[in-house]
Amino acid sequence: MTRISSSGGTPTRASQSDTSVAAAQPKPEVRKPAVTSQDSFSRPTQKGVERAAVAINPDEFVPGPTRRDVYNDLDVQKIRSQSNSLRSFSEGEAQPRTREDALANADRLLGGANFLKLSETAQGANITRDAKDVNDAADTDPASPRHQAAVAEVEANAALEQEALDNLSPEERQQYQEVRDGLMAVEPAGDPVATLALQKLLLEGKLPGEEALGGEGDLLDQLHTLQTQELGEGIDRGALLSDVVQELATPESVNQRNKGTCAATAATIQLLMENPAEYVRLVAGLASSSGEVTLADGETVMKREALGAEAKGGEDVRSESQELLAPAFMEVANGDKDYQDKTDAHYEDGKKTHSGLYADEFDRLAEAVFDRRVDTVKGIGGAEEEAAAWELIQERTAAGESVAVGMTWGSGGHQVVVTGTGVDPKTGEEYVEYTNPWGRTERMPKDEFLSRLNSMHTRPEEKGKELDRDPRHPDAPDRIARTG
């Protein structure tokens, strides 16, 4: 497992693991940047034709810093300047920092600058936030602006952090401190970006947090377990903990990277939003010496897939957590098939069947992960169905829920997590906002979105809507136990 740099290389971040990391092998040949998506089927692109969700961000195959990196670095410089001015408050040169100030700066540094007017996608959407990857090597590089800005922020937040800790029990304060110490022990100079993410969780009131869906404690308990448990061979504790904490603080930073696992990554994003403790419990289980964990349905046992450059076909550029979780989720989703991470494809009787996930495979995964039935609306087409779908999305997101949807994307399909709708005050145009599992948030005009919409994955209580539902288990109870 490696740490990545924004310049396209893969320098390793010094290990804090209990065991050594497998030696990296030469990278596979870089694909041409002209690729718009990776779809093994090359299915027809007309709306209503089911296609596997498998699209990959073409920027993953372009070396060098991206426009995102340039703008985020400029924004980080501003944050560092503001933080340094607040550190001199004791000399009467600045106003005292409020919790709102701290959270706003942490959100900007972790989530990325506002890109709404700066970047439009090939699909007609605008990128609103595009954070650097959670495993960026700059996080632990004392010379990087991001590292320096995070150090200044962490120090400026000290009083607020202590005030929030005073509201926790002595045991909880000790757990928090051990997790924080683990983040700042990552060599060569600690990970202040991840430490800032931990502070953000604390100041938002998300620690100790709610109980995990599968039990075994709340969010702080799960993080402490990840910091203290015995790990499997080749797993870097410091890097894994750093990546997980940042993903908790900024769920939209979760990135499928160069694998066609957008549907599995969408499920990950929804889990982070809905029950972050369960997310950590699953990652910790896969990272443990046993390498397995039982999902919330109480039946499905998810196991760690092979790690290391040989098993992956080269160095894995995903975060440590996604390297563990994404292939395991793909394996749960495909039923009796065999997912191979090296080729990013499913096999049956030794023969490749497909890449990505179909709608019913996503349902199988979501039912096991969330321990509830999932209804699927497929083949959405025509003005009436699109209007009903839009109304349903508005209702669900207004209630604070997210909706996973499948969309036509390039020559294949893609899955995103819709989090809200709105109206542009300048143009009056309606839009949908969603988290793209390419590690960013986007805003797409309503008409463009509906023209691409193929499927929605919803909760069973939504059956009153006039849509042609295709529930995989129409007679099943609300809670389904499924073996993987």
Side-chain angles (χ1 to χ4, degrees):
M1 299 188 186
T2 59
R3 316 311 289 161
I4 63 157
S5 70
S6 56
S7 59
T10 55
T12 58
R13 182 160 76 183
S15 173
Q16 190 208 357
S17 63
D18 297 331
T19 55
S20 60
V21 179
Q25 300 296 316
K27 284 186 177 181
E29 181 180 353
V30 176
R31 305 186 196 185
K32 296 180 180 180
V35 175
T36 57
S37 68
Q38 303 298 313
D39 179 19
S40 62
F41 292 102
S42 297
R43 290 182 176 273
T45 58
Q46 69 266 30
K47 182 176 170 61
V49 175
E50 184 179 10
R51 51 186 63 81
V54 69
I56 301 175
N57 186 354
D59 286 346
E60 293 296 338
F61 310 111
V62 180
T66 64
R67 191 177 186 184
R68 169 198 70 180
D69 297 317
V70 173
Y71 280 106
N72 276 337
D73 282 345
L74 290 173
D75 202 52
V76 162
Q77 295 279 14
K78 297 176 184 177
I79 296 173
R80 183 176 58 171
S81 176
Q82 293 171 359
S83 301
N84 286 335
S85 67
L86 286 169
R87 290 164 66 187
S88 61
F89 168 65
S90 60
E91 300 176 4
E93 297 177 5
Q95 295 299 312
R97 166 163 288 206
T98 66
R99 182 172 300 208
E100 291 72 21
D101 293 332
L103 290 175
N105 274 10
D107 185 60
R108 283 172 60 192
L109 192 148
L110 297 168
N114 188 336
F115 284 83
L116 186 56
K117 299 179 180 179
L118 302 175
S119 186
E120 186 173 340
T121 73
Q123 291 75 35
N126 284 303
I127 300 171
T128 57
R129 302 289 293 279
D130 195 358
K132 285 195 173 184
D133 298 298
V134 298
N135 59 343
D136 196 309
D139 293 358
T140 58
D141 178 5
S144 79
R146 182 173 167 86
H147 180 102
Q148 294 169 1
V151 168
E153 281 296 301
V154 168
E155 293 179 356
N157 292 339
L160 292 170
E161 181 181 32
Q162 186 57 55
E163 180 182 338
L165 286 172
D166 290 341
N167 293 321
L168 303 184
S169 70
E171 180 184 359
E172 290 166 344
R173 288 196 292 271
Q174 182 177 351
Q175 288 179 320
Y176 179 90
Q177 190 60 51
E178 289 183 23
V179 173
R180 193 184 194 281
D181 289 345
L183 296 173
M184 290 308 296
V186 178
E187 296 180 357
D191 192 336
V193 176
T195 305
L196 178 63
L198 184 67
Q199 284 185 335
K200 181 173 183 281
L201 293 171
L202 179 68
L203 297 180
E204 287 176 328
K206 294 181 178 179
L207 296 176
E210 296 182 358
E211 181 85 2
L213 288 173
E216 303 176 21
D218 56 34
L219 177 55
L220 188 54
D221 291 326
Q222 303 297 339
L223 286 172
H224 187 255
T225 295
L226 189 60
Q227 167 61 18
T228 58
Q229 72 175 2
E230 183 180 353
L231 297 179
E233 182 179 358
I235 296 176
D236 184 329
R237 186 186 304 279
L240 176 60
L241 184 65
S242 294
D243 291 352
V244 165
V245 171
Q246 289 182 69
E247 289 169 341
L248 288 168
T250 314
E252 61 268 29
S253 67
V254 176
N255 195 333
Q256 70 188 77
R257 297 306 302 269
N258 59 352
K259 299 288 186 179
T261 60
C262 54
T265 308
T268 298
I269 293 167
Q270 286 191 295
L271 184 59
L272 273 163
M273 292 176 174
E274 183 171 327
N275 193 286
E278 180 70 3
Y279 170 72
V280 183
R281 188 184 74 86
L282 297 186
V283 172
L286 293 174
S288 69
S289 56
S290 70
E292 63 181 42
V293 61
T294 301
L295 297 184
D297 66 2
E299 296 289 337
T300 305
V301 178
M302 186 168 64
K303 299 183 178 181
R304 181 174 68 234
E305 298 292 302
L307 301 176
E310 183 176 351
K312 304 291 186 181
E315 292 185 45
D316 198 316
V317 297
R318 291 173 292 188
S319 69
E320 311 291 301
S321 43
Q322 295 316 301
E323 184 177 350
L324 290 166
L325 195 57
F329 268 10
M330 295 291 278
E331 199 70 77
V332 170
N334 67 18
D336 295 330
K337 297 181 178 66
D338 175 38
Y339 174 75
Q340 295 184 17
D341 201 23
K342 185 174 183 177
T343 57
D344 191 22
H346 305 277
Y347 293 80
E348 189 169 23
D349 298 327
K351 295 182 179 180
K352 178 180 175 180
T353 59
H354 64 287
S355 294
L357 293 179
Y358 285 109
D360 62 337
E361 293 174 318
F362 177 85
D363 287 354
R364 179 184 290 118
L365 171 64
E367 287 171 353
V369 169
F370 293 99
D371 190 24
R372 63 173 178 248
R373 195 177 70 194
V374 175
D375 290 338
T376 296
V377 183
K378 295 195 296 187
I380 299 170
E384 290 186 7
E385 287 192 352
E386 289 178 356
W390 182 254
E391 182 182 354
L392 179 57
I393 287 173
Q394 286 184 308
E395 288 182 3
R396 292 297 89 206
T397 55
E401 299 177 14
S402 63
V403 179
V405 303
M407 303 171 68
T408 299
W409 206 275
S411 62
H414 191 43
Q415 189 122 333
V416 302
V417 178
V418 176
T419 55
T421 63
V423 178
D424 189 317
K426 294 183 178 180
T427 65
E429 182 180 53
E430 290 185 276
Y431 63 82
V432 62
E433 192 157 77
Y434 55 84
T435 300
N436 187 331
W438 292 355
R440 65 197 193 198
T441 57
E442 297 177 4
R443 182 177 294 180
M444 181 179 284
K446 172 185 174 181
D447 291 344
E448 180 68 31
F449 171 75
L450 292 177
S451 73
R452 293 175 173 275
L453 182 64
N454 277 313
S455 66
M456 296 193 307
H457 305 270
T458 62
R459 298 187 180 191
E461 62 265 26
E462 298 161 7
K463 281 190 172 182
K465 291 296 172 184
E466 296 299 324
L467 288 168
D468 182 17
R469 302 202 176 269
D470 183 25
R472 295 178 52 254
H473 301 282
D475 300 322
D478 286 343
R479 294 181 179 271
I480 293 178
R482 171 174 306 284
T483 55

